[in-house]
Amino acid sequence: MYSIGIDIGTTSICGVLLDSSTGEIRKSVTRNSESFIPSDKTWEKIQDVSIIEKKSFEILDALFDEADGKVESIGISNQMHGILYINADGNCVSPLYIWQDERGNQPYKDGKSYAQFLNSFAGYGLVTDFYNRENGIVPQNADGCCTIGDYMGMKMCGNQKPVMHISNAASFGCFDLNSNRFTIDNGMLPEVTADFTVLGEYRGAKVIAAIGDNQASFMGSVSGNVPLVNVGTGSQVSYLSDKPVFGENIESRPYDGRKFLVVGCSLCGGRAFALLERFFASVAELATGEKCDSLYKQIDKMLETKLSTDMTADSRFCGTRANPNIRGGYFNVSEDNFTAGDMAVATLYAIANELKDMYGGEDSAEIVCSGNGIRKNAALQKVVSEVFSAEIKIPRHMEEASYGVALASLTAVGRYDSLDEAQKLINYR
């Protein structure tokens, strides 16, 4: 038997067909969503829900065909924070306002933006909804609202009302983590569940409520009580806690109804290394007069033998969520260490140390790493291992969010007694 996991991202949709017994991926399908709707407002970021729905079902059916119909469960992961409106029949009547939408940062009153007025952030569903209500944009026939994952779960099962997992509910903003309830009511909020609730069936397979992509990625990456370091454009360090933990650039998010996922976020993880590569490329172009497309291979080769320096760096070139005005830099620069190799090594340590400073969990002998920013950078793997004093483990599969919701769905249908047990299927390279 098999389980399917579908991850609806911002720019792509990924589906995996997971062997329920071995954890091996039988088939993986990824499609560019190509669903952005052009707008004359620079701050508006919206997508066409009908395109996302069509492509999601195409992927789903392709995986069913590969499994010869032997699918017992379906899990859904989705880009968090975004919001769409539905009518009384459960049909979408608006675009998807995604997490990148900045209408919440527009001026509201008393010197505050719409987001500040709600003590929340732009891009969060209820902030977007607040702006829409105040400006008469909510469709007149709107009867409810939800995330794109909730909508797809509803459509798969032929339901008219969405059910929202707490991982997505918290991403809407204005949500109390202790009571698992919204702190405001727009009259359209869906039912909220803390469980991996079965919504119904699609082609005989049970479908569970959609889970936010951050939590889903953790579920699909980590086996055991160990932290996760993810390095992409930005970077995060995540770990499970029995209670919410808060701090500068630290956020606690609902996980499975029992635990919280504590996340420390850096805005400039892999982006910091990319900035350095672009700097090196500009120097090469200056020296040769020819455009240099990429120097990553050359930098990787250099770092095979160069992994120490007394130069230090601050990789917060894009600021932080708490203080967007902070800037990075290079320090303790001398005539002996002012080299490309020293700058590269200092940048890697800066990326790792920023995450370590945000980590508040227990010491662990192992740490799981995901994201292309670290999967493809052997030198960063060594540095993270040293900074965290832990052995690096990297999942064999790259579709962490899809894999995670497939595991959650197997738990929901009773194939495994707990998510912890299901996560033992994760294989590491």
Side-chain angles (χ1 to χ4, degrees), residues 140-154:
Q140 291 186 352
N141 58 342
D143 185 68
C145 61
C146 60
T147 71
I148 184 63
D150 304 325
Y151 182 73
M152 282 306 305
M154 183 175 61

Side-chain angles (χ1 to χ4, degrees), residues 276-332:
L276 185 68
E277 187 271 339
R278 283 295 83 200
F279 169 69
F280 289 161
S282 68
V283 173
E285 184 177 350
L286 178 66
T288 65
E290 297 182 2
K291 185 174 178 59
C292 182
D293 290 332
S294 175
L295 286 176
Y296 283 115
K297 289 183 178 179
Q298 292 87 335
I299 296 172
D300 290 343
K301 184 68 175 178
M302 175 179 64
L303 290 173
E304 288 179 3
T305 56
K306 174 71 174 178
L307 261 186
S308 64
T309 182
D310 56 353
M311 181 188 294
T312 60
D314 183 339
S315 59
R316 297 177 295 178
F317 301 113
C318 303
T320 68
R321 286 185 174 179
N323 188 347
N325 296 317
I326 287 178
R327 290 294 177 265
Y330 293 88
F331 310 95
N332 196 40

Side-chain angles (χ1 to χ4, degrees), residues 327-345:
R327 290 294 177 265
Y330 293 88
F331 310 95
N332 196 40
V333 180
S334 69
E335 59 181 350
D336 296 322
N337 66 15
F338 195 18
T339 70
D342 286 274
M343 291 182 72
V345 172

Side-chain angles (χ1 to χ4, degrees), residues 236-263:
Q236 303 87 33
V237 58
S238 309
Y239 64 95
L240 293 179
S241 173
D242 293 329
K243 60 183 180 180
V245 177
F246 300 99
E248 188 171 297
N249 303 310
I250 303 294
E251 185 177 350
S252 288
R253 299 169 178 172
Y255 186 64
D256 60 357
R258 299 177 297 109
K259 293 182 179 293
F260 296 88
L261 188 63
V262 182
V263 185

Side-chain angles (χ1 to χ4, degrees), residues 142-417:
D143 185 68
C145 61
C146 60
T147 71
I148 184 63
D150 304 325
Y151 182 73
M152 282 306 305
M154 183 175 61
K155 285 299 174 181
M156 287 180 195
C157 301
N159 300 335
Q160 293 181 319
K161 297 289 184 183
V163 175
M164 182 180 284
H165 188 260
I166 50 176
S167 58
N168 274 320
S171 80
F172 251 32
C174 304
F175 188 79
D176 181 29
L177 296 179
N178 295 311
S179 65
N180 286 335
R181 293 183 178 181
F182 290 104
T183 57
I184 62 176
D185 186 4
N186 64 3
M188 295 185 181
L189 293 171
E191 174 189 345
V192 174
T193 179
D195 302 319
F196 300 145
T197 300
V198 175
L199 305 175
E201 294 187 357
Y202 178 75
R203 293 180 63 172
K206 291 181 170 59
V207 180
I208 70 166
I211 297 169
D213 57 4
N214 177 234
Q215 289 90 330
S217 293
F218 191 92
M219 293 174 185
S221 302
V222 176
S223 178
N225 187 25
V226 299
L228 170 69
V229 164
N230 179 281
V231 181
T233 302
S235 59
Q236 303 87 33
V237 58
S238 309
Y239 64 95
L240 293 179
S241 173
D242 293 329
K243 60 183 180 180
V245 177
F246 300 99
E248 188 171 297
N249 303 310
I250 303 294
E251 185 177 350
S252 288
R253 299 169 178 172
Y255 186 64
D256 60 357
R258 299 177 297 109
K259 293 182 179 293
F260 296 88
L261 188 63
V262 182
V263 185
C265 297
S266 166
L267 299 180
C268 206
R271 185 185 300 177
F273 203 69
L275 288 171
L276 185 68
E277 187 271 339
R278 283 295 83 200
F279 169 69
F280 289 161
S282 68
V283 173
E285 184 177 350
L286 178 66
T288 65
E290 297 182 2
K291 185 174 178 59
C292 182
D293 290 332
S294 175
L295 286 176
Y296 283 115
K297 289 183 178 179
Q298 292 87 335
I299 296 172
D300 290 343
K301 184 68 175 178
M302 175 179 64
L303 290 173
E304 288 179 3
T305 56
K306 174 71 174 178
L307 261 186
S308 64
T309 182
D310 56 353
M311 181 188 294
T312 60
D314 183 339
S315 59
R316 297 177 295 178
F317 301 113
C318 303
T320 68
R321 286 185 174 179
N323 188 347
N325 296 317
I326 287 178
R327 290 294 177 265
Y330 293 88
F331 310 95
N332 196 40
V333 180
S334 69
E335 59 181 350
D336 296 322
N337 66 15
F338 195 18
T339 70
D342 286 274
M343 291 182 72
V345 172
T347 302
L348 294 181
Y349 276 96
I351 294 169
N353 282 319
E354 184 181 5
L355 295 174
K356 183 63 167 65
D357 289 343
M358 291 188 286
Y359 178 62
E362 298 179 357
D363 291 340
S364 175
E366 297 178 330
I367 186 167
V368 176
C369 294
S370 65
N372 285 337
I374 194 165
R375 279 181 176 272
K376 298 180 178 181
N377 193 326
L380 181 56
Q381 294 171 26
K382 293 177 183 178
V383 169
V384 168
S385 177
E386 177 188 333
V387 168
F388 281 84
S389 300
E391 178 187 352
I392 293 292
K393 297 172 64 178
I394 299 177
R396 289 188 181 276
H397 58 272
M398 299 179 65
E399 309 89 344
E400 295 94 351
S402 301
Y403 198 99
V405 289
L407 294 181
S409 71
L410 289 173
T411 304
V413 300
R415 166 68 68 166
Y416 294 96
D417 292 335

